[in-house]
Amino acid sequence: MQQRIQSLEEQEHLPSLLAADAQELAHQLQEHQKKIFSPTAQKTMRLFSPAEAAAFIGIGEGYLRQIASEGHGPQPLSNGRRMYSVDDIDRIRRVLDEGVKTGKYIPHRRPGEKLQVISVMNFKGGSGKTTTAAHLSQYLSLRGYRVLAIDLDPQASLSALFGHQPELDVGEAETLYGAIRYENPRPVADVVRSTYTTNLHLIPGNLELMEFEHETPKAMIGGSAETLFFARIGEALSEIESFYDIVVIDCPPQLGFLTMSALCAATSVLITVHPQMLDVMSMSQFLSMTSELMAVVEKAGGRTSYDWMRYLVTRFEPNDGPQSQMTGFMRAIFGNRMLQNAMVKSTAISDAGVTKQTLYEVERSQFIRGTYDRAMDSLSLVNAEIEEMVRKVWGRK
């Protein structure tokens, strides 16, 4: 009997093991980060071809060449070709809008148009939630909107994609938690950071966001919170809403107080789903739990009505029969609540993520042309569809 029972000395102490493994893993990840991205380096956005620049501005490539030849674009390279930076694109928008009252090319909010807050969410990890939020944020900023991306996920993958390492670059109270905590909250403007993309700002995340999950029950029991938990993000955003057109929130992959607060702050909701049976079954449970929790929040005065709510199929493989069947199954159930376009699974996106880049940042020459083009076409269709819904809310054509 004694031989079969492991002694206490021989048993492994789980908290110590996890702490040691976490410390070593963080150290090795930091060393890897230094190799691929120097601590003193700054991320930059690549230059865009005339076709890409024209598409972002919303004009024809021939018209862009004409504007550039009039001295409003970058100088041609040695081969006579022009490549456009984000600043070049933004400058050309301003040139085109000179004397135009409607702001045709600079799509900032106009009087009477409310701030759009899009919460991107899913209960299950691996659904492409963060990838969707990152590319949507960058796309909208490249289209000329003033965008604020909020990383509400304690794992902070969105922050890392945008060049802010959660364990190195984000200090105490420098996440949204600093602005929504119950004691001594900071002005939300203090935690907003610029990025290497014109028109795109970021509120980064890290593990301290979990403090909100721990403190909220205490505040609810003690009655010390002047503002209920589900209203705190919306209240914080009201301080800076005049500076932005669209806010994109990358929610945590669980139904906690942070997610519920993000839902109550949102004007629109985007739910990502991988078209596999287990993922769809998990989403069924997720939707049921969300509905029940939102009903409770609604009784307490929280906002539960939205301009739109859509499901986005992610990591879709068109040649996979079961995935196509599952997608058709969801379309039959959800109808027009499904985005018409799906985000295809692509090695181009996953390979770009290895170096903490989005598809908008990597050079086309780094990939097989067809692979890159298919991924970019899919990405553009998805993001353009979301942009169109935002413009429809504003009453624009």
Side-chain angles (χ1 to χ4, degrees):
M1 184 70 170
Q2 290 181 346
Q3 291 177 344
R4 287 192 305 216
I5 299 176
Q6 193 177 25
S7 68
L8 291 176
E9 290 78 7
E10 294 174 332
Q11 289 181 345
E12 296 178 332
H13 185 240
L14 186 59
S16 300
L17 284 174
L18 294 179
D21 286 351
Q23 185 176 2
E24 179 61 20
L25 183 58
H27 172 71
Q28 293 300 332
L29 286 172
Q30 290 173 22
E31 291 301 312
H32 176 69
Q33 174 72 5
K34 291 175 184 177
K35 291 178 182 177
I36 64 172
F37 190 68
S38 168
T40 58
Q42 296 292 323
K43 287 192 72 175
T44 57
M45 180 63 76
R46 67 176 171 89
L47 299 178
F48 294 98
S49 69
E52 290 174 313
F56 285 133
I57 297 170
I59 59 177
E61 192 175 344
Y63 189 22
L64 178 64
R65 283 197 296 268
Q66 176 187 331
I67 297 166
S69 66
E70 294 171 356
H72 301 301
Q75 292 298 313
L77 304 175
S78 57
N79 60 4
R81 183 176 173 83
R82 286 184 169 90
M83 297 297 288
Y84 295 78
S85 69
V86 177
D87 289 335
D88 291 330
I89 293 172
D90 209 46
R91 184 165 56 252
I92 290 171
R93 279 198 188 93
R94 292 196 296 271
V95 170
L96 290 171
D97 258 0
E98 286 180 2
V100 179
K101 295 181 180 180
T102 58
K104 181 178 180 180
Y105 298 100
I106 299 176
H108 295 175
R109 281 193 297 139
R110 302 164 190 168
E113 295 177 343
K114 65 181 179 181
L115 176 72
Q116 292 295 288
V117 182
I118 303 172
S119 286
V120 184
M121 60 184 300
N122 195 302
F123 181 68
K124 189 177 177 67
S127 67
K129 175 179 61 65
T130 296
T131 301
T132 297
H135 285 91
L136 177 61
S137 299
Q138 271 189 337
Y139 168 86
L140 291 169
S141 68
L142 290 167
R143 288 283 288 159
Y145 301 94
R146 300 167 300 170
V147 181
L148 173 65
I150 300 178
D151 194 348
L152 212 58
D153 188 341
Q155 298 175 75
S157 298
L158 182 72
S159 303
L161 271 175
F162 288 158
H164 297 265
Q165 289 302 113
E167 65 277 0
L168 297 175
D169 306 323
V170 185
E172 184 179 352
E174 291 183 353
T175 69
L176 187 64
Y177 169 73
I180 64 173
R181 60 188 179 185
Y182 295 96
E183 293 184 6
N184 302 316
R186 302 179 64 184
V188 69
D190 289 355
V191 298
V192 175
R193 302 184 180 195
S194 60
T195 71
Y196 48 92
T197 306
T198 303
N199 296 323
L200 176 59
H201 289 171
L202 170 72
I203 297 180
N206 66 13
L207 287 174
E208 80 166 10
L209 285 164
M210 291 300 298
E211 293 299 316
F212 189 72
E213 305 290 347
H214 301 148
E215 289 185 359
T216 295
K218 299 176 184 177
M220 293 171 67
I221 294 172
S224 59
E226 294 183 7
T227 303
L228 293 173
F229 78 89
F230 55 78
R232 299 187 79 80
I233 292 179
E235 187 176 81
L237 290 179
S238 68
E239 300 174 16
I240 55 174
E241 65 175 311
S242 62
F243 298 103
Y244 299 102
D245 305 306
I246 303 170
V247 176
V248 178
I249 303 178
D250 183 23
C251 295
Q254 68 267 339
L255 273 177
F257 296 114
L258 281 170
T259 299
M260 297 305 295
S261 187
L263 280 173
C264 290
T267 59
S268 306
V269 176
L270 186 64
I271 300 175
T272 58
V273 55
H274 184 214
Q276 296 272 25
M277 178 57 76
L278 289 178
D279 293 78
V280 175
M281 289 172 64
S282 293
M283 190 178 76
S284 174
Q285 299 298 313
F286 164 71
L287 296 177
S288 179
M289 288 188 292
T290 304
S291 172
E292 293 173 3
L293 289 172
M294 291 298 287
V296 174
V297 168
E298 184 177 37
K299 290 180 180 179
R303 178 164 65 182
T304 56
S305 298
Y306 302 94
D307 294 327
W308 52 263
M309 183 276 282
R310 293 292 185 276
Y311 300 99
L312 168 63
V313 171
T314 57
R315 297 171 58 209
F316 179 57
E317 300 176 70
N319 296 325
D320 186 311
Q323 284 201 19
S324 296
Q325 291 177 2
M326 184 55 66
T327 301
F329 175 71
M330 288 189 291
R331 290 195 186 283
I333 296 171
F334 300 135
N336 61 8
R337 291 195 299 281
M338 294 274 291
L339 287 185
Q340 291 300 310
N341 298 286
M343 187 60 227
V344 299
K345 182 178 181 179
S346 174
T347 55
I349 293 178
S350 56
D351 288 353
V354 171
T355 53
K356 296 180 181 175
Q357 291 179 293
T358 67
L359 203 60
Y360 294 118
E361 297 170 25
V362 294
E363 297 287 349
R364 186 186 186 204
S365 58
Q366 296 180 26
F367 302 93
I368 298 173
R369 180 171 296 183
T371 301
Y372 179 89
D373 289 347
R374 280 192 297 272
M376 184 61 82
D377 288 346
S378 174
L379 196 61
S380 298
L381 287 170
V382 167
N383 288 333
E385 188 175 351
I386 296 170
E387 178 192 6
E388 185 59 30
M389 290 191 295
V390 169
R391 294 176 66 86
K392 186 176 180 180
V393 170
W394 286 336
R396 301 189 195 181
K397 295 181 180 179

